[in-house]
């Protein structure tokens, strides 16, 4: 199946949109019914070119009787029933319409209910991240899919953010890159310690994470140091002369050499790109110049003193200033498993259970209401994953399609699809979530090669992001590339 992703504002009010999307050769449209805030270009729409979406919204009429403590917001930038208008137009063009549903990613509800959001080991809240450890969050997600099935009457459901959100979050004016945090650090910052999660974790987990993410200050050094005849105990000179090595501070964890990743699913993870200083947005403090005592050979006898031409004084050890890099704030570990050590298995089980509990509850609800409706999950086999693609390390027999993200290196993404294929139960399919926007080129040959790579990895479904934003050259290239699939 070929599925084009679109938003209600791409279709409602644009009579040409449905035929343009159908002309790609797709079978269905994934139409956003519940979505987070964004700023969207609409290059084809006759009524606007840029649309500001300041908060998450439900694109169906919000019926108060359908909701509990958490009530979704209605849009003001589109009509309240924009999903229904767009759905009817797309179906009239011969397309199936699947309800693209974002679950725990909701900054509007998070700000209204700060007790229900993810909090890291330092107590910092992530307002965009509703934590599924809370019953109120589970209830909201359950009511959301019930309302979508009742009012939207979709041909299928696509569940995104069906699990915890984490540290990584693309938001307006994001300033989190540049802290020199590694992928392991980001994973540590994604572990939740809200009131519902904290009791589930080992008591030693929070202090361990805080210790890992607290930069170690440099040892105090004088402006210069001299190598003395009797060096200070504990210094490198003293150790070199047979003295005992310096004692490690008691509050500093023993360093372990990095080792290869222990979980195959972590292969695709990369550290965040460099960026501005996230705390002050000012340039980082330049490294201090420290000095290292280096004996300088004394002058040869008979060499005149160039300053006074007086007899030479006895030779002295002199010093040469050598810049020493400051300590790095990140952990020295290659993966979160290494950072957590013996706690990793227990913490991983807690993390995976949050996604699994939400996912299974929703699938049970969906099957009770609409037993035959196709259920598509945005997932990844990475057990530590947070965000739009929830952790699914052991498979899910209740779903119909498992869709993996393919916005990165095609070979790496193909390996992820292969792991999802290995998790599939009989009758399940694997989908590739394909980027049809820059930096992908508007080149049909390149895009066709990507699609072929994903197909060889086990993908039978292709989810294309996104038909409302891609310009004419990208849409033309995409249509030609899709035509090569058999």
């Amino acid at each position: 199946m070929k599925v084009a992703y679109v938003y209600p504002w791409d279709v409602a009010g644009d009579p040409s949109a449905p035929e343009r999307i159908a002309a790609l050769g797709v079978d269905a449209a994934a139409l956003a019914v519940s979505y987070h805030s964004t700023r969207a270009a609409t290059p084809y729409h006759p009524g606007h070119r840029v649309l500001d979406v300041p908060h998450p919204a439900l694109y169906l009429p919000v019926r108060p009787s359908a909701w509990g403590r958490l009530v979704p917001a209605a849009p003001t930038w589109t009509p309240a029933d924009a999903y229904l208008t767009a759905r009817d137009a797309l179906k009239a063009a011969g397309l199936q319409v699947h309800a693209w549903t974002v679950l725990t990613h909701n900054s509007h509800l998070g700000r209204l209910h700060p007790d229900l959001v993810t909090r890291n080991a330092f107590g910092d809240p992530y307002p965009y991240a509703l934590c599924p450890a809370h019953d109120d969050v589970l209830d909201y997600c359950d009511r959301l899919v019930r309302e979508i099935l009742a009012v939207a009457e979709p041909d299928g459901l696509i569940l995104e953010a069906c699990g915890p959100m984490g540290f990584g979050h693309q938001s307006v004016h994001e300033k989190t890159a540049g802290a020199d945090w590694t992928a392991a650090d980001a994973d540590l910052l994604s572990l939740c310690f809200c009131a519902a999660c904290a009791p589930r974790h080992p008591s030693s987990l929070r202090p361990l994470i805080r210790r890992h993410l607290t930069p170690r200050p440099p040892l105090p050094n004088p402006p210069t140091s001299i190598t003395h005849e009797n060096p200070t105990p504990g210094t490198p000179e003293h150790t070199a002369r047979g003295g005992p090595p310096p004692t490690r501070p008691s509050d500093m964890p023993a360093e372990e050499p990095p080792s290869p990743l222990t979980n195959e699913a972590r292969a695709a993870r990369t550290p965040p790109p460099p960026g501005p200083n996230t705390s002050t947005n000012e340039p980082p403090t330049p490294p201090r110049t420290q000095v290292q005592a280096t004996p300088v050979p004394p002058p040869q006898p008979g060499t005149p003193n160039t300053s006074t031409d007086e007899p030479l004084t006895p030779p002295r050890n002199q010093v040469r200033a050598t810049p020493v890099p400051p300590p790095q704030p990140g952990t020295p570990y290659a993966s979160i498993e290494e950072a957590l050590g013996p706690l990793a298995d227990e913490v991983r089980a807690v993390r995976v259970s949050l996604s699994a509990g939400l996912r299974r509850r929703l699938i049970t609800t969906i099957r009770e209401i609409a037993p035959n409706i196709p259920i598509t999950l945005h997932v990844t086999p990475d057990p530590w994953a947070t965000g739009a693609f929830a952790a699914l390390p052991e498979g899910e027999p209740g779903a119909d399609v498992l869709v993996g993200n393919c916005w990165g290196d095609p070979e790496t993404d193909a390996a992820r699809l292969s792991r999802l294929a290995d998790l599939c139960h009989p009758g399940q399919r694997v989908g590739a979530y394909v980027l049809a926007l820059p930096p992908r080129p508007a080149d049909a040959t390149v895009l066709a090669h990507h699609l072929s790579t994903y197909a060889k990895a086990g993908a039978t479904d292709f989810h294309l992001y996104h038909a409302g934003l891609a310009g004419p050259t990208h849409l033309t290239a995409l249509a030609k590339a899709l035509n090569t699939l058999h």
Side-chain angles (χ1 to χ4, degrees):
M1 176 174 278
K2 304 166 190 174
V3 184
Y5 280 58
V6 293
Y7 297 95
W9 56 76
D10 294 321
V11 181
D14 183 1
S16 66
E19 292 298 335
R20 182 172 60 250
I21 295 167
L24 292 171
V26 297
D27 307 294
L31 180 62
V33 63
S34 171
Y35 202 74
H36 53 76
S37 58
T38 188
R39 183 170 179 257
T42 55
Y44 306 99
H45 201 283
H48 45 72
R49 281 294 173 270
V50 179
L51 197 68
D52 185 53
V53 180
H55 59 76
L58 176 66
Y59 293 91
L60 297 172
V62 178
R63 303 185 302 172
S65 62
W67 304 99
R69 180 185 173 194
L70 276 63
V71 182
T76 58
W77 48 93
T78 67
D81 61 350
Y83 179 92
L84 299 177
T85 301
R87 177 204 64 185
D88 293 344
L90 292 166
K91 290 180 77 70
L95 296 172
Q96 297 181 33
V97 178
H98 293 211
W100 176 19
T101 307
V102 174
L103 295 162
T104 62
H105 185 180
N106 195 309
S107 56
H108 171 73
L109 294 178
R111 290 190 176 95
L112 289 177
H113 306 281
D115 58 309
L116 301 180
V117 303
T118 294
R119 291 179 180 270
N120 63 28
F122 295 84
D124 308 319
Y126 299 160
Y128 53 85
L130 298 176
C131 180
H134 293 276
D135 290 339
D136 284 334
V137 174
L138 295 175
D139 178 72
Y140 161 74
C141 294
D142 188 89
R143 289 173 182 268
L144 179 60
V145 298
R146 288 178 183 274
E147 188 71 349
I148 291 169
L149 291 172
V151 179
E153 299 178 328
D155 297 307
L157 275 176
I158 299 174
L159 303 183
E160 178 177 310
C162 190
M165 296 290 291
F167 168 73
H169 177 248
Q170 183 181 2
S171 66
V172 178
H173 304 302
E174 182 86 6
K175 298 188 189 306
T176 52
D180 294 330
W181 286 331
T182 65
D185 298 331
D187 285 337
L188 292 174
L189 286 168
S190 296
L191 295 176
C192 184
F193 291 85
C194 68
C197 283
R200 305 180 186 210
H201 293 307
S203 59
S204 57
L205 179 61
R206 189 197 298 260
L208 176 68
I209 294 173
R210 296 178 69 140
R211 200 158 58 241
H212 281 327
L213 290 169
T214 299
R216 300 172 186 174
L219 295 176
N221 288 295
T224 59
S225 60
I226 304 296
T227 301
H228 296 285
E229 183 102 13
N230 296 309
T232 304
T235 62
E237 293 88 350
H238 182 63
T239 303
R241 298 187 188 191
T247 302
R248 188 177 188 84
S250 59
D251 62 343
M252 189 177 295
E255 293 185 357
E256 299 176 12
S259 64
L261 297 180
T262 56
N263 191 302
E264 183 184 54
R266 307 295 292 157
R269 304 297 292 268
T270 57
N277 183 309
T278 62
S279 60
T280 64
N281 203 27
E282 296 178 356
T285 304
R288 301 185 204 175
T289 299
Q290 302 176 356
V291 295
Q292 176 179 327
T294 306
V296 178
Q300 296 298 317
T303 302
N305 183 318
T306 56
S307 59
T308 62
D309 204 23
E310 295 177 355
L312 292 172
T313 58
R316 292 180 295 176
N317 283 335
Q318 300 175 356
V319 295
R320 181 179 296 130
T322 305
V324 178
Q328 297 300 312
T331 70
Y333 303 107
S335 71
I336 187 173
E337 288 93 346
E338 287 187 24
L340 296 181
L343 300 181
D345 289 345
E346 184 177 354
V347 177
R348 181 172 53 245
V350 171
R351 168 64 69 188
V352 171
S353 71
L354 294 176
S355 296
L358 174 59
R359 181 178 68 247
R360 290 167 186 165
R361 173 166 175 168
L362 297 184
I363 289 176
T364 299
T365 295
I366 295 165
R367 293 301 181 211
E368 288 175 353
I369 299 171
N372 298 319
I373 194 169
I375 301 174
T376 297
L377 302 176
H378 283 193
V379 290
T380 172
D382 179 359
W384 298 102
T386 56
F389 291 78
L392 187 77
E394 298 176 356
E396 175 48 67
D400 296 282
V401 186
L402 308 180
V403 173
N405 189 19
C406 294
W407 288 21
D409 171 67
E411 296 299 329
T412 301
D413 294 338
R416 184 183 301 111
L417 296 178
S418 294
R419 294 197 293 273
L420 288 177
D422 292 339
L423 296 174
C424 279
H425 292 257
Q428 284 186 321
R429 308 192 305 274
V430 171
Y433 192 54
V434 179
L435 182 64
L437 303 171
R440 295 291 197 247
D443 186 318
T445 302
V446 173
L447 294 177
H449 176 70
H450 290 174
L451 297 178
S452 175
T453 298
Y454 305 144
K456 291 175 182 176
T460 59
D461 291 26
F462 298 89
H463 290 232
L464 313 164
Y465 186 86
H466 80 85
L469 175 59
T473 55
H474 273 84
L475 281 187
T476 300
L478 180 60
K480 291 179 180 179
L482 288 173
N483 196 43
T484 66
L485 294 171
H486 303 292

